[in-house]
Amino acid sequence: MSESRPVPRRESPWGMPEGDHRQPKAHRCNDRAEDVIQACFEGNPFKTVPGPFKLFWQCMRSKPGEEPTEPYTYLQLDPPTREVKLE
């Protein structure tokens, strides 16, 4: 996941601690997990889930910045890209 999408927040009955302005950040493999969930509703799950799940599993086992760059199967998002670090 190259860019960070906003994460929805819920109101807490306890409020926010004073001076705590941290914002939640989505997990780097969150879009892959959403692709697997969407695959569950796209016909026969035995045929639609294995491909997206394989990419999700590769993402979870990869190091940050080394996530798979294959396009999403069911989500209408741009495929993830790797950031090239110039040194």
Side-chain angles (χ1 to χ4, degrees):
M1 194 165 96
S2 57
E3 70 281 342
S4 179
R5 295 190 302 151
V7 177
R9 297 203 61 171
R10 291 183 280 171
E11 292 294 323
S12 170
W14 297 280
M16 295 280 293
E18 291 298 322
D20 188 8
H21 300 290
R22 296 177 296 172
Q23 293 294 318
K25 191 169 115 179
H27 190 273
R28 60 191 174 89
C29 298
N30 187 55
D31 292 336
R32 293 287 179 195
E34 289 183 28
D35 203 29
V36 172
I37 293 166
Q38 185 63 38
C40 294
F41 301 98
E42 297 289 334
N44 183 351
F46 291 105
K47 294 181 179 178
T48 60
V49 171
F53 184 79
K54 178 183 171 190
L55 292 172
F56 168 72
W57 190 250
Q58 286 176 357
C59 185
M60 290 298 291
R61 295 190 50 98
S62 68
K63 294 179 182 175
E66 297 179 2
E67 296 86 2
T69 57
E70 286 84 357
Y72 298 103
T73 309
Y74 297 102
L75 292 183
Q76 302 299 318
L77 296 175
D78 294 329
T81 57
R82 288 206 177 120
E83 312 260 334
V84 178
K85 295 181 181 177
L86 300 175
E87 293 182 22

